[in-house]
């Protein structure tokens, strides 16, 4: 997100260019003979709304798309093996520490344990290894920005939604804590002081 200290400097919003997309597809030799498939996990209800939008956008450049909704566990082996066209996925990437090193390492390095895109780039791996050894936060963030630029230029993933949660609570609310996984807001222990 632009607000993060390691955001890519000067990155702009991507713009839709249907004609350029058609030209790129033709140059790549793509034909519409085989529809592509979007996998949407049922565990994330919002994917049912996002998938048809992608389907319609791709249809406008001549790519037929089918949508398969399924449980994540049913397709995880295929995802990890790279046996899919497109998948709507989510990452809660700053849940443990406020630094993206784990996310960058697991999702995008050549040996990453959750590298669904099967992306492998020696320069990227060097930047992430250097960032992992860098104690100075500003320098580490600069390295993340360089690594992010590689991911953007290679179009490794398309980020569709950057969801953020903001909780506002009254001073008399007791036993409330923000759930980083957004599973629930109120618990049995949550109470208003004086009641």
């Amino acid at each position: 997100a632009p607000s993060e200290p390691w955001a890519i400097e000067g990155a702009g919003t991507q713009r839709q260019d249907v004609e350029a997309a058609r030209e790129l597809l033709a140059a790549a030799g793509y034909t519409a003979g085989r529809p592509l498939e979007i996998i949407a996990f049922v565990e994330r209800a919002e994917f049912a709304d996002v998938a048809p939008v992608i389907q319609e956008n791709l249809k406008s450049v001549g790519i037929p798309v089918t949508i398969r909704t399924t449980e994540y566990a049913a397709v995880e082996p295929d995802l990890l093996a790279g046996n899919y066209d497109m998948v709507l996925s989510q990452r809660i990437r700053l849940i443990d520490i406020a630094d993206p090193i784990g996310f960058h390492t697991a999702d995008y390095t050549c040996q990453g344990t959750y590298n669904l895109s099967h992306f492998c780039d020696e320069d990227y791996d060097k930047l992430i290894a250097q960032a992992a050894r860098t104690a100075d936060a500003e320098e580490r963030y600069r390295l993340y920005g360089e690594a992010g630029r590689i991911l953007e230029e290679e179009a490794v993933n398309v980020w569709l939604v950057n969801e953020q949660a903001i909780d506002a609570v009254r001073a008399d609310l007791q036993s409330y804590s923000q759930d980083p996984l957004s599973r629930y807001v109120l618990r049995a222990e949550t109470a208003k002081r004086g009641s």
Side-chain angles (χ1 to χ4, degrees):
S3 60
E4 293 171 334
W6 47 80
I8 301 167
E9 202 170 312
T13 303
Q14 299 295 321
R15 303 219 186 281
Q16 185 182 56
D17 186 337
V18 173
E19 198 49 49
R22 286 188 181 123
E23 290 170 14
L24 286 169
L25 287 167
Y30 175 79
T31 63
R34 181 182 74 84
L36 299 179
E37 180 183 71
I38 298 174
I39 299 171
F41 306 137
V42 296
E43 291 88 349
R44 299 296 298 215
E46 65 273 22
F47 289 172
D49 296 328
V50 174
V53 173
I54 297 168
Q55 182 183 44
E56 195 61 31
N57 278 319
L58 292 175
K59 180 181 173 186
S60 72
V61 293
I63 302 174
V65 175
T66 61
I67 300 169
R68 176 167 53 135
T69 55
T70 184
E71 293 179 345
Y72 174 81
V75 293
E76 183 182 52
D78 281 338
L79 296 180
L80 294 174
N83 299 327
Y84 66 95
D85 295 323
M86 293 175 275
V87 62
L88 292 175
S89 184
Q90 84 287 337
R91 293 296 279 160
I92 302 175
R93 58 193 176 77
L94 301 176
I95 192 167
D96 49 357
I97 57 171
D99 188 286
I101 190 67
F103 169 73
H104 277 294
T105 302
D107 287 34
Y108 299 111
T109 60
C110 295
Q111 300 302 314
T113 56
Y114 198 68
N115 189 344
L116 296 184
S117 61
H118 291 254
F119 175 72
C120 183
D121 181 279
E122 198 173 291
D123 293 333
Y124 178 87
D125 282 14
K126 285 178 184 173
L127 285 168
I128 296 306
Q130 185 178 351
R133 295 187 306 268
T134 301
D136 178 70
E138 284 211 21
E139 175 61 10
R140 198 169 59 252
Y141 296 163
R142 186 189 67 73
L143 293 166
Y144 293 150
E146 285 184 42
R149 175 79 61 203
I150 292 172
L151 295 176
E152 183 182 86
E153 288 172 358
E154 294 295 323
V156 176
N157 291 114
V158 177
W159 297 103
L160 301 173
V161 178
N162 185 25
E163 189 176 14
Q164 296 179 346
I166 298 172
D167 292 4
V169 297
R170 294 168 44 142
D172 60 353
L173 187 64
Q174 298 177 320
S175 300
Y176 174 81
S177 60
Q178 184 178 14
D179 178 12
L181 296 177
S182 302
R183 293 168 298 197
Y184 41 79
V185 175
L186 301 176
R187 304 175 184 208
E189 302 84 20
T190 305
K192 183 180 169 196
R193 187 175 31 237
S195 60

